Amino acid sequence: MKKVLAINSGSSSFKYKLFGLPDETVLAEGLGDRIGLAGSTFEMKFGNGQKYCEEVALPDQETAVKILLDWLKKYDVVNDLTEIVGVGHRIVSGGEEFTDSAIIDEKNLQKIFDLTDYAPLHNPAEGRGIKAFMNLLPGVPQVGVFDTSFHQTMDEVHYLYSVPFEYYEKYKARKYGAHGTSVRYVANRTAELLHRDLSDLKMIICHLGSGASITAVKDGKSFDTSMGFSPLAGVTMGTRSGDVDASLIQFIMDKEGIKNIDDMIDILNHKSGLLGISGISSDMRDLESSDTKRGKLARDIFVNRVIRYAGSYAVEMGGIDALVFTAGIGEHDANIRAGIMKLFECMGLDPDFEANKTNGEKLISKKGSKIAALIVPTDEELMIERDVVRLAHLD
Protein backbone atom coordinates (compact mmCIF):
# COMPACT_ATOMS: atom_id res chain seq x y z
CA MET A 1 0.00 0.00 0.00
CA LYS A 2 1.25 3.46 -0.90
CA LYS A 3 1.30 5.93 1.99
CA VAL A 4 1.43 9.72 2.38
CA LEU A 5 2.55 11.70 5.43
CA ALA A 6 0.95 15.01 6.42
CA ILE A 7 3.24 17.10 8.64
CA ASN A 8 2.47 20.16 10.75
CA SER A 9 5.67 21.50 12.33
CA GLY A 10 5.55 24.30 14.88
CA SER A 11 8.37 26.09 16.64
CA SER A 12 8.38 23.45 19.40
CA SER A 13 6.01 20.77 18.09
CA PHE A 14 5.81 18.22 15.31
CA LYS A 15 2.36 16.84 14.42
CA TYR A 16 1.93 14.12 11.83
CA LYS A 17 -0.66 11.86 10.24
CA LEU A 18 0.00 8.90 7.92
CA PHE A 19 -2.63 8.10 5.27
CA GLY A 20 -3.01 4.94 3.21
CA LEU A 21 -3.86 5.29 -0.47
CA PRO A 22 -6.19 5.31 -2.23
CA ASP A 23 -8.87 5.15 0.49
CA GLU A 24 -7.26 7.84 2.73
CA THR A 25 -7.34 5.60 5.81
CA VAL A 26 -5.47 7.15 8.76
CA LEU A 27 -2.86 4.52 9.69
CA ALA A 28 -1.03 6.45 12.39
CA GLU A 29 -0.92 9.91 13.90
CA GLY A 30 0.77 11.67 16.75
CA LEU A 31 2.93 14.43 18.08
CA GLY A 32 6.51 15.23 18.97
CA ASP A 33 6.17 17.81 21.72
CA ARG A 34 8.54 20.33 23.38
CA ILE A 35 11.15 20.20 20.62
CA GLY A 36 14.33 21.90 21.82
CA LEU A 37 13.06 21.92 25.41
CA ALA A 38 13.44 19.70 28.47
CA GLY A 39 10.85 16.98 28.97
CA SER A 40 10.17 16.42 25.27
CA THR A 41 7.92 13.50 24.32
CA PHE A 42 6.96 11.57 21.20
CA GLU A 43 3.65 9.79 20.73
CA MET A 44 2.04 7.58 18.10
CA LYS A 45 -1.50 6.27 18.04
CA PHE A 46 -3.29 3.95 15.65
CA GLY A 47 -6.79 3.49 14.31
CA ASN A 48 -7.47 0.63 16.72
CA GLY A 49 -6.94 2.96 19.69
CA GLN A 50 -3.50 1.65 20.58
CA LYS A 51 -1.10 4.40 21.64
CA TYR A 52 2.58 4.70 22.53
CA CYS A 53 4.21 7.68 24.21
CA GLU A 54 7.77 8.07 25.46
CA GLU A 55 9.89 10.85 26.90
CA VAL A 56 12.70 11.22 24.39
CA ALA A 57 15.24 13.92 23.59
CA LEU A 58 14.02 16.08 20.69
CA PRO A 59 16.71 18.73 20.22
CA ASP A 60 15.54 19.65 16.69
CA GLN A 61 13.10 18.91 13.88
CA GLU A 62 15.44 16.43 12.19
CA THR A 63 15.51 14.27 15.31
CA ALA A 64 11.70 14.25 15.39
CA VAL A 65 11.65 13.15 11.73
CA LYS A 66 14.15 10.34 12.43
CA ILE A 67 12.12 9.09 15.39
CA LEU A 68 8.90 9.19 13.34
CA LEU A 69 10.42 7.07 10.56
CA ASP A 70 11.97 4.67 13.09
CA TRP A 71 8.66 4.23 14.94
CA LEU A 72 6.71 3.64 11.72
CA LYS A 73 8.99 0.64 11.07
CA LYS A 74 9.23 -0.39 14.74
CA TYR A 75 5.44 -0.68 15.09
CA ASP A 76 4.98 -2.25 11.64
CA VAL A 77 3.02 0.65 10.18
CA VAL A 78 5.36 0.39 7.20
CA ASN A 79 7.47 -2.58 6.19
CA ASP A 80 9.82 -0.37 4.22
CA LEU A 81 10.16 3.41 3.95
CA THR A 82 9.74 3.13 0.17
CA GLU A 83 6.02 2.73 0.89
CA ILE A 84 5.96 6.47 1.72
CA VAL A 85 5.45 8.08 -1.68
CA GLY A 86 4.88 11.68 -0.64
CA VAL A 87 5.11 14.07 2.30
CA GLY A 88 2.98 17.18 2.70
CA HIS A 89 3.93 20.05 4.99
CA ARG A 90 1.73 22.79 6.40
CA ILE A 91 3.54 26.11 5.93
CA VAL A 92 2.16 29.22 7.65
CA SER A 93 3.30 31.87 5.18
CA GLY A 94 3.79 31.67 1.45
CA GLY A 95 3.68 35.45 1.08
CA GLU A 96 2.87 36.40 -2.50
CA GLU A 97 5.30 33.74 -3.76
CA PHE A 98 2.89 30.82 -3.48
CA THR A 99 -0.69 31.11 -4.74
CA ASP A 100 -1.16 27.34 -4.46
CA SER A 101 0.46 24.40 -2.76
CA ALA A 102 3.73 23.48 -4.43
CA ILE A 103 6.37 20.79 -4.83
CA ILE A 104 9.28 21.85 -2.62
CA ASP A 105 12.68 21.62 -4.28
CA GLU A 106 15.82 23.38 -3.06
CA LYS A 107 14.73 26.63 -4.74
CA ASN A 108 11.29 26.65 -3.14
CA LEU A 109 12.74 25.59 0.20
CA GLN A 110 14.93 28.70 0.16
CA LYS A 111 11.85 30.81 -0.58
CA ILE A 112 10.23 29.43 2.59
CA PHE A 113 13.24 30.54 4.62
CA ASP A 114 13.28 33.90 2.80
CA LEU A 115 9.69 34.48 4.01
CA THR A 116 10.73 34.17 7.67
CA ASP A 117 9.88 37.84 8.38
CA TYR A 118 6.22 37.04 7.68
CA ALA A 119 6.07 34.06 10.09
CA PRO A 120 9.23 34.10 12.25
CA LEU A 121 8.08 31.40 14.69
CA HIS A 122 6.84 28.97 12.06
CA ASN A 123 8.49 29.17 8.63
CA PRO A 124 12.03 28.36 9.85
CA ALA A 125 10.81 25.31 11.83
CA GLU A 126 8.71 24.13 8.91
CA GLY A 127 11.63 24.65 6.53
CA ARG A 128 13.93 22.62 8.75
CA GLY A 129 11.37 19.83 8.86
CA ILE A 130 11.20 19.71 5.06
CA LYS A 131 15.00 19.68 4.83
CA ALA A 132 15.12 16.72 7.23
CA PHE A 133 12.68 14.74 5.08
CA MET A 134 14.66 15.60 1.95
CA ASN A 135 17.75 14.13 3.59
CA LEU A 136 16.09 11.03 5.07
CA LEU A 137 13.68 10.23 2.21
CA PRO A 138 15.65 11.32 -0.88
CA GLY A 139 13.60 11.37 -4.05
CA VAL A 140 10.24 11.35 -2.25
CA PRO A 141 8.11 14.37 -3.32
CA GLN A 142 7.82 17.05 -0.63
CA VAL A 143 4.79 19.33 -0.97
CA GLY A 144 4.29 22.66 0.82
CA VAL A 145 0.69 23.55 1.69
CA PHE A 146 0.53 27.24 2.59
CA ASP A 147 -2.03 28.73 4.99
CA THR A 148 -1.87 31.99 3.08
CA SER A 149 -2.25 30.70 -0.48
CA PHE A 150 -6.05 30.28 -0.31
CA HIS A 151 -6.37 33.99 0.50
CA GLN A 152 -4.36 35.11 -2.53
CA THR A 153 -7.67 35.46 -4.38
CA MET A 154 -8.53 38.56 -2.31
CA ASP A 155 -8.45 41.77 -4.31
CA GLU A 156 -6.50 44.93 -3.45
CA VAL A 157 -9.52 46.55 -1.80
CA HIS A 158 -9.49 43.77 0.80
CA TYR A 159 -5.80 43.04 1.28
CA LEU A 160 -4.24 46.52 1.30
CA TYR A 161 -3.89 48.64 4.42
CA SER A 162 -4.50 52.39 4.34
CA VAL A 163 -0.83 53.25 4.87
CA PRO A 164 1.58 54.73 2.33
CA PHE A 165 1.41 52.54 -0.78
CA GLU A 166 5.20 52.42 -0.95
CA TYR A 167 5.23 50.07 2.08
CA TYR A 168 3.41 47.52 -0.01
CA GLU A 169 5.62 48.14 -3.01
CA LYS A 170 8.85 47.86 -1.02
CA TYR A 171 7.99 45.32 1.69
CA LYS A 172 4.78 43.58 0.58
CA ALA A 173 3.11 44.94 3.72
CA ARG A 174 -0.48 43.70 3.32
CA LYS A 175 -3.09 41.33 4.69
CA TYR A 176 -2.21 37.66 4.17
CA GLY A 177 -4.71 35.88 6.40
CA ALA A 178 -4.34 32.42 7.92
CA HIS A 179 -6.25 29.16 8.40
CA GLY A 180 -6.51 28.90 4.61
CA THR A 181 -6.00 25.13 4.53
CA SER A 182 -8.78 24.63 7.08
CA VAL A 183 -11.14 27.01 5.28
CA ARG A 184 -10.49 25.32 1.94
CA TYR A 185 -11.43 21.92 3.38
CA VAL A 186 -14.50 23.23 5.19
CA ALA A 187 -15.75 25.17 2.15
CA ASN A 188 -15.58 22.08 -0.05
CA ARG A 189 -17.20 19.88 2.57
CA THR A 190 -20.00 22.42 3.13
CA ALA A 191 -20.82 22.40 -0.58
CA GLU A 192 -21.00 18.59 -0.47
CA LEU A 193 -23.32 18.62 2.54
CA LEU A 194 -25.62 21.19 0.93
CA HIS A 195 -25.54 19.38 -2.44
CA ARG A 196 -24.56 22.66 -4.04
CA ASP A 197 -21.85 23.71 -6.46
CA LEU A 198 -19.04 25.39 -4.53
CA SER A 199 -18.69 28.02 -7.25
CA ASP A 200 -22.32 29.05 -6.67
CA LEU A 201 -22.15 29.60 -2.89
CA LYS A 202 -21.57 32.58 -0.61
CA MET A 203 -20.49 31.39 2.81
CA ILE A 204 -18.94 32.70 5.98
CA ILE A 205 -16.66 30.21 7.69
CA CYS A 206 -16.03 30.79 11.38
CA HIS A 207 -12.80 29.01 12.31
CA LEU A 208 -13.16 29.46 16.05
CA GLY A 209 -10.41 28.04 18.23
CA SER A 210 -7.69 29.45 20.45
CA GLY A 211 -6.72 31.19 17.23
CA ALA A 212 -9.84 32.40 15.45
CA SER A 213 -10.62 33.84 12.05
CA ILE A 214 -13.69 34.65 9.98
CA THR A 215 -13.46 34.13 6.22
CA ALA A 216 -15.91 35.13 3.52
CA VAL A 217 -15.86 32.59 0.70
CA LYS A 218 -17.55 33.62 -2.54
CA ASP A 219 -17.71 31.38 -5.60
CA GLY A 220 -15.24 29.00 -3.94
CA LYS A 221 -12.61 31.67 -3.38
CA SER A 222 -11.47 33.72 -0.41
CA PHE A 223 -13.25 37.07 -0.65
CA ASP A 224 -11.94 38.52 2.63
CA THR A 225 -10.65 37.26 5.97
CA SER A 226 -10.22 38.69 9.45
CA MET A 227 -6.58 37.84 10.19
CA GLY A 228 -4.19 40.32 8.67
CA PHE A 229 -0.46 40.70 8.08
CA SER A 230 -0.12 38.30 11.01
CA PRO A 231 -2.54 36.05 12.95
CA LEU A 232 -2.73 38.74 15.66
CA ALA A 233 -5.35 40.79 13.81
CA GLY A 234 -9.09 40.23 13.58
CA VAL A 235 -11.47 38.89 16.24
CA THR A 236 -10.77 38.39 19.93
CA MET A 237 -8.96 35.06 20.46
CA GLY A 238 -7.75 32.88 23.31
CA THR A 239 -4.72 34.97 24.21
CA ARG A 240 -4.53 37.31 21.19
CA SER A 241 -6.14 40.72 21.27
CA GLY A 242 -7.44 40.88 17.72
CA ASP A 243 -7.85 44.40 16.31
CA VAL A 244 -6.46 47.19 18.50
CA ASP A 245 -6.05 50.93 17.83
CA ALA A 246 -2.31 51.49 17.23
CA SER A 247 -2.40 54.67 19.31
CA LEU A 248 -3.69 52.65 22.27
CA ILE A 249 -0.57 50.50 22.02
CA GLN A 250 1.64 53.58 22.31
CA PHE A 251 -0.50 54.88 25.20
CA ILE A 252 -0.19 51.61 27.15
CA MET A 253 3.54 51.40 26.50
CA ASP A 254 4.03 54.92 27.86
CA LYS A 255 1.87 54.30 30.94
CA GLU A 256 3.40 50.90 31.71
CA GLY A 257 6.98 51.89 30.92
CA ILE A 258 7.26 49.28 28.19
CA LYS A 259 10.24 50.33 26.09
CA ASN A 260 10.43 47.52 23.57
CA ILE A 261 7.69 47.00 20.96
CA ASP A 262 8.51 43.27 20.96
CA ASP A 263 7.46 43.12 24.61
CA MET A 264 4.16 44.84 23.76
CA ILE A 265 3.52 42.48 20.83
CA ASP A 266 4.16 39.59 23.22
CA ILE A 267 1.46 40.95 25.55
CA LEU A 268 -0.98 41.28 22.63
CA ASN A 269 -0.22 37.72 21.50
CA HIS A 270 -0.02 35.87 24.81
CA LYS A 271 -1.70 37.85 27.59
CA SER A 272 -4.71 39.41 25.87
CA GLY A 273 -7.91 38.10 24.30
CA LEU A 274 -10.18 35.93 26.45
CA LEU A 275 -7.42 35.53 29.03
CA GLY A 276 -6.79 39.26 29.32
CA ILE A 277 -10.46 40.21 29.56
CA SER A 278 -11.54 37.47 31.96
CA GLY A 279 -8.44 37.22 34.10
CA ILE A 280 -9.36 33.54 34.39
CA SER A 281 -8.41 31.54 31.33
CA SER A 282 -7.97 31.52 27.56
CA ASP A 283 -10.16 28.40 27.37
CA MET A 284 -13.84 28.92 26.56
CA ARG A 285 -14.78 25.87 28.64
CA ASP A 286 -13.33 27.49 31.76
CA LEU A 287 -15.16 30.73 31.04
CA GLU A 288 -18.48 28.98 30.47
CA SER A 289 -18.24 27.22 33.82
CA SER A 290 -17.21 30.43 35.57
CA ASP A 291 -19.90 32.56 37.20
CA THR A 292 -17.78 35.72 37.18
CA LYS A 293 -18.86 38.89 35.41
CA ARG A 294 -15.58 39.13 33.49
CA GLY A 295 -15.83 35.52 32.37
CA LYS A 296 -19.23 36.21 30.83
CA LEU A 297 -17.97 39.50 29.42
CA ALA A 298 -15.14 37.73 27.60
CA ARG A 299 -17.59 35.34 25.93
CA ASP A 300 -19.93 38.21 24.98
CA ILE A 301 -17.06 40.20 23.46
CA PHE A 302 -15.96 37.14 21.50
CA VAL A 303 -19.44 36.75 19.96
CA ASN A 304 -19.61 40.48 19.25
CA ARG A 305 -16.31 40.54 17.39
CA VAL A 306 -17.27 37.52 15.30
CA ILE A 307 -20.54 39.21 14.34
CA ARG A 308 -18.77 42.45 13.38
CA TYR A 309 -16.76 40.60 10.74
CA ALA A 310 -19.41 38.09 9.68
CA GLY A 311 -22.08 40.78 9.35
CA SER A 312 -19.93 43.09 7.27
CA TYR A 313 -18.89 40.23 5.00
CA ALA A 314 -22.53 39.26 4.46
CA VAL A 315 -23.30 42.80 3.30
CA GLU A 316 -20.20 43.00 1.06
CA MET A 317 -21.01 39.70 -0.65
CA GLY A 318 -24.63 40.73 -1.16
CA GLY A 319 -25.94 38.08 1.23
CA ILE A 320 -24.87 34.60 2.31
CA ASP A 321 -26.04 31.05 1.71
CA ALA A 322 -24.24 29.37 4.62
CA LEU A 323 -22.83 30.22 8.05
CA VAL A 324 -20.33 27.52 9.03
CA PHE A 325 -18.71 26.73 12.38
CA THR A 326 -15.45 24.81 12.69
CA ALA A 327 -12.38 24.30 14.93
CA GLY A 328 -12.34 23.77 18.72
CA ILE A 329 -14.87 26.38 19.84
CA GLY A 330 -16.90 26.31 16.63
CA GLU A 331 -17.28 22.54 16.76
CA HIS A 332 -17.87 22.12 20.51
CA ASP A 333 -19.37 25.26 22.10
CA ALA A 334 -23.13 25.21 21.52
CA ASN A 335 -23.77 28.44 23.40
CA ILE A 336 -21.25 30.44 21.35
CA ARG A 337 -22.81 29.07 18.16
CA ALA A 338 -26.29 29.94 19.44
CA GLY A 339 -25.23 33.48 20.31
CA ILE A 340 -23.85 34.07 16.84
CA MET A 341 -26.81 32.47 15.06
CA LYS A 342 -29.34 34.48 17.05
CA LEU A 343 -27.80 37.71 15.78
CA PHE A 344 -28.14 36.42 12.20
CA GLU A 345 -31.89 35.89 12.53
CA CYS A 346 -32.47 39.40 11.17
CA MET A 347 -30.87 38.25 7.90
CA GLY A 348 -33.13 35.24 7.47
CA LEU A 349 -31.33 32.55 9.46
CA ASP A 350 -33.79 30.29 11.28
CA PRO A 351 -31.62 28.43 13.80
CA ASP A 352 -32.44 24.93 14.98
CA PHE A 353 -31.41 25.47 18.58
CA GLU A 354 -32.35 21.89 19.51
CA ALA A 355 -30.00 20.40 16.88
CA ASN A 356 -27.35 22.88 17.97
CA LYS A 357 -27.29 21.45 21.51
CA THR A 358 -25.15 18.53 20.33
CA ASN A 359 -21.92 18.56 18.33
CA GLY A 360 -20.77 16.77 15.20
CA GLU A 361 -21.05 17.41 11.48
CA LYS A 362 -24.62 18.49 10.73
CA LEU A 363 -27.09 21.19 9.77
CA ILE A 364 -28.15 23.41 12.69
CA SER A 365 -30.71 25.57 10.88
CA LYS A 366 -34.34 24.69 10.19
CA LYS A 367 -35.74 23.56 6.88
CA GLY A 368 -36.68 26.61 4.82
CA SER A 369 -34.13 28.88 6.49
CA LYS A 370 -32.79 31.48 4.03
CA ILE A 371 -29.31 30.86 5.43
CA ALA A 372 -28.04 27.37 6.20
CA ALA A 373 -26.06 27.03 9.42
CA LEU A 374 -23.73 24.06 9.82
CA ILE A 375 -21.09 22.48 12.03
CA VAL A 376 -18.29 21.12 9.84
CA PRO A 377 -15.27 19.65 11.66
CA THR A 378 -12.07 20.69 9.93
CA ASP A 379 -9.42 18.29 8.64
CA GLU A 380 -6.30 20.15 7.56
CA GLU A 381 -4.23 16.96 7.35
CA LEU A 382 -6.65 15.41 4.87
CA MET A 383 -6.40 18.55 2.74
CA ILE A 384 -2.60 18.30 2.88
CA GLU A 385 -2.71 14.64 1.84
CA ARG A 386 -4.95 15.45 -1.11
CA ASP A 387 -2.60 18.20 -2.27
CA VAL A 388 0.30 15.74 -2.18
CA VAL A 389 -1.69 13.27 -4.28
CA ARG A 390 -2.65 16.03 -6.72
CA LEU A 391 0.75 17.63 -7.16
CA ALA A 392 2.86 14.47 -7.03
CA HIS A 393 0.44 12.75 -9.45
CA LEU A 394 -0.19 9.81 -7.15
CA ASP A 395 -3.78 9.21 -8.22
Side-chain angles (χ1 to χ4, degrees), residues 151-362:
H151 300 300
Q152 287 296 299
T153 54
M154 291 188 294
D155 62 23
E156 291 176 316
V157 169
H158 294 110
Y159 72 67
L160 285 178
Y161 291 107
S162 303
V163 297
F165 192 77
E166 65 189 80
Y167 297 152
Y168 171 67
E169 292 178 307
K170 292 194 292 186
Y171 313 119
K172 300 302 178 186
R174 52 161 286 181
K175 176 190 286 191
Y176 288 102
H179 294 147
T181 306
S182 170
V183 172
R184 187 157 53 101
Y185 172 83
V186 171
N188 279 277
R189 182 61 183 149
T190 298
E192 290 175 1
L193 292 170
L194 294 177
H195 306 290
R196 296 276 301 274
D197 190 328
L198 179 63
S199 64
D200 190 40
L201 283 171
K202 300 172 185 174
M203 63 180 83
I204 293 172
I205 297 177
C206 303
H207 181 112
L208 307 179
S210 179
S213 66
I214 314 301
T215 300
V217 179
K218 184 177 182 181
D219 305 330
K221 299 175 182 178
S222 177
F223 179 77
D224 201 357
T225 192
S226 60
M227 284 182 170
F229 175 76
S230 79
L232 179 56
V235 302
T236 299
M237 300 175 231
T239 62
R240 297 177 199 151
S241 64
D243 295 338
V244 175
D245 185 334
S247 292
L248 177 63
I249 294 172
Q250 182 185 40
F251 173 82
I252 292 171
M253 289 179 71
D254 289 344
K255 293 295 185 182
E256 290 287 310
I258 300 169
K259 303 298 183 185
N260 190 328
I261 187 63
D262 290 342
D263 293 336
M264 189 68 225
I265 294 297
D266 183 70
I267 291 169
L268 296 175
N269 268 307
H270 302 295
K271 299 178 182 179
S272 301
L274 299 176
L275 174 63
I277 297 163
S278 70
I280 300 169
S281 174
S282 63
D283 193 311
M284 274 292 190
R285 292 167 294 188
D286 296 335
L287 302 185
E288 186 169 32
S289 62
S290 167
D291 58 0
T292 67
K293 181 179 179 180
R294 283 171 56 187
K296 181 181 184 303
L297 177 63
R299 288 175 63 88
D300 289 346
I301 287 175
F302 181 84
V303 170
N304 173 268
R305 301 309 190 261
V306 170
I307 285 294
R308 284 186 184 182
Y309 273 98
S312 66
Y313 290 161
V315 171
E316 279 196 82
M317 289 193 295
I320 62 169
D321 301 300
L323 177 68
V324 192
F325 298 95
T326 193
I329 297 169
E331 294 172 27
H332 299 105
D333 196 316
N335 288 331
I336 290 294
R337 292 194 302 261
I340 294 168
M341 288 194 295
K342 190 165 185 61
L343 291 167
F344 260 95
E345 287 179 321
C346 67
M347 300 189 72
L349 173 60
D350 188 4
D352 186 337
F353 290 117
E354 192 61 34
N356 179 59
K357 288 179 181 178
T358 56
N359 305 318
E361 184 178 83
K362 60 179 167 179

